[in-house]
Amino acid sequence: MKSFAGKIAVVTGGGSGMGRELALQLAAAGCDVAMCDMFPEGVAETQRLCLSQARQGTRVTTFMADVSIEDQVLAFAQAVKRELDTDHIHFLFNNAGIGGGGGFVDGSRADWEKTFNVCWYGVYYCTRAFLPLLRNAKEGHIVNTSSVNGFWATLGPNRPHTAYCAAKFAVKGFTEALITDLALNAPHIKCSVVMPGHIGTDIPVNSRKILKGSEAAIDIAAARRLAAARGVDVVGLSDEQIRQRVIELERRFREDAPTTAAQAATIILDGVKAEKWRILVGKDAELLDQRVRTAPEEVYTPEFLEAFREGGGWRL
């Protein structure tokens, strides 16, 4: 599709980060937007921003839903039909996701499964729920957000990251398999897999809210272990100093990222208009993709990570 004007888009995770920026840019382009999120304040602010910038008559609706719970996703789909008075949509942006989950061997099973369920089953449930509406349109596009961790399953040798990586690999494989499935059974629908690198968002904070129930619920013991694994002398650090270190790292993750959420949304939407099935987001994602393809047997060694860092990649 070459234009978003006059179309209808569904965006999950629209309360902040890339989801908010996708909603803003879609609405500014004349697209009606229906979005869901778990945080009412965030999604209400996104709606306000969208309506303040969009042309008169653009519709922007919100719904509270946890995409890892199918009944809530199905209720969201019904709300879209009802509130936008439509039997079709043109775009589905499966953007919602959380980080965390940690390791499979010694990590929390509850955190592992919640992370996996949001990042993978959220995509699966939403695609199931909205596929009938996409099939009713003359043309449609499914946009699934994976990650560079969908082709490189680590954050480095000192940090287990299996829940998130497993989910993002699933999203990537599912989307690639959909190319043939859609071509055979619904050829008017296209699909894209999005693989962002480091994007400046509040995903660490939002993930903690979902996994631990509170923005302030920092696991001090786990933060100590991670800092020590990264070579930090934590023996003399108080719990409050560890807490402040985590908060500072989260600030740097958001503010010092090589790609902003707004820039990421622009790259994604440009890729959708060009009907690219594979959208890398950020120079770091492009660099990592090239290096993984060049030396696949070496990608989980400390030497690979160091070479990536020296080549311009992020420091983990």
Side-chain angles (χ1 to χ4, degrees):
M1 266 180 273
K2 303 303 181 184
S3 172
F4 298 110
K7 305 295 196 308
I8 300 173
V10 169
V11 181
T12 67
S16 63
M18 291 195 302
R20 171 175 287 176
E21 296 298 335
L22 285 168
L24 286 171
Q25 293 184 30
L26 286 164
C31 188
D32 290 336
V33 178
M35 57 185 151
C36 75
D37 202 274
M38 290 183 64
F39 303 118
E41 299 86 357
V43 78
E45 176 63 7
T46 302
Q47 182 184 44
R48 185 191 68 79
L49 291 169
C50 284
L51 293 174
S52 71
Q53 299 175 20
R55 70 184 66 170
Q56 189 174 5
T58 300
R59 298 173 296 176
V60 180
T61 68
T62 67
F63 191 82
M64 294 300 105
D66 179 341
V67 295
S68 70
I69 301 174
E70 187 172 17
D71 285 348
Q72 294 187 23
V73 171
L74 293 171
F76 177 38
Q78 290 301 313
V80 170
K81 292 168 63 177
R82 181 179 63 253
E83 294 177 19
L84 294 183
D85 189 23
T86 185
D87 67 349
H88 67 276
I89 65 169
H90 302 92
F91 300 100
L92 171 62
F93 290 87
N94 283 315
N95 163 80
I98 60 173
F104 181 82
V105 177
D106 290 325
S108 159
R109 178 168 178 170
D111 286 358
W112 201 101
E113 292 184 353
K114 186 62 177 180
T115 301
F116 184 85
N117 291 347
V118 169
C119 292
W120 158 240
Y121 276 107
V123 171
Y124 174 74
Y125 290 148
C126 287
T127 305
R128 281 282 189 199
F130 286 99
L131 184 59
L133 297 181
L134 287 160
R135 297 187 79 165
N136 285 341
K138 292 183 179 180
E139 53 184 348
H141 205 122
I142 301 167
V143 187
N144 294 332
T145 300
S146 177
S147 166
V148 293
N149 286 135
F151 60 80
W152 185 59
T154 185
L155 283 178
N158 298 318
R159 184 176 180 181
H161 199 49
T162 59
Y164 186 83
C165 292
K168 294 303 185 179
F169 263 75
V171 172
K172 178 175 180 289
F174 171 64
T175 311
E176 293 192 25
L178 271 180
I179 295 171
T180 302
D181 200 338
L182 291 170
L184 291 173
N185 300 300
H188 65 296
I189 305 174
K190 308 300 182 184
C191 64
S192 301
V193 59
V194 175
M195 292 171 286
H198 178 186
I199 311 300
T201 71
D202 280 320
I203 191 172
V205 177
N206 290 336
S207 299
R208 188 163 61 246
K209 288 181 185 178
I210 293 170
L211 293 175
K212 304 301 181 185
S214 168
E215 180 178 337
I218 296 174
D219 187 335
I220 299 299
R224 280 186 182 277
R225 290 194 297 271
L226 179 58
R230 292 175 171 175
V232 176
D233 183 2
V234 299
V235 174
L237 297 181
S238 67
D239 287 355
E240 181 57 27
Q241 287 173 313
I242 293 292
R243 181 184 300 277
Q244 290 304 315
R245 183 178 188 277
V246 171
I247 293 171
E248 172 60 16
L249 289 172
E250 291 174 344
R251 183 199 65 78
R252 288 165 52 190
F253 181 91
R254 180 182 64 253
E255 297 180 9
D256 298 343
T259 307
T260 67
Q263 290 168 334
T266 299
I267 293 168
I268 294 166
L269 295 179
D270 286 347
V272 170
K273 284 192 289 187
E275 295 189 350
K276 295 174 62 177
W277 72 262
R278 187 173 188 272
I279 304 172
L280 292 166
V281 183
K283 296 297 183 183
D284 53 339
E286 295 173 4
L287 174 63
L288 189 55
D289 176 63
Q290 186 272 328
R291 288 177 178 263
V292 168
R293 290 172 177 273
T294 299
E297 292 292 330
E298 301 172 13
V299 297
Y300 299 117
T301 64
E303 292 78 14
F304 178 90
L305 177 59
E306 189 57 34
F308 173 56
R309 287 171 171 170
E310 295 300 322
W314 10 273
R315 303 196 70 81
L316 303 167

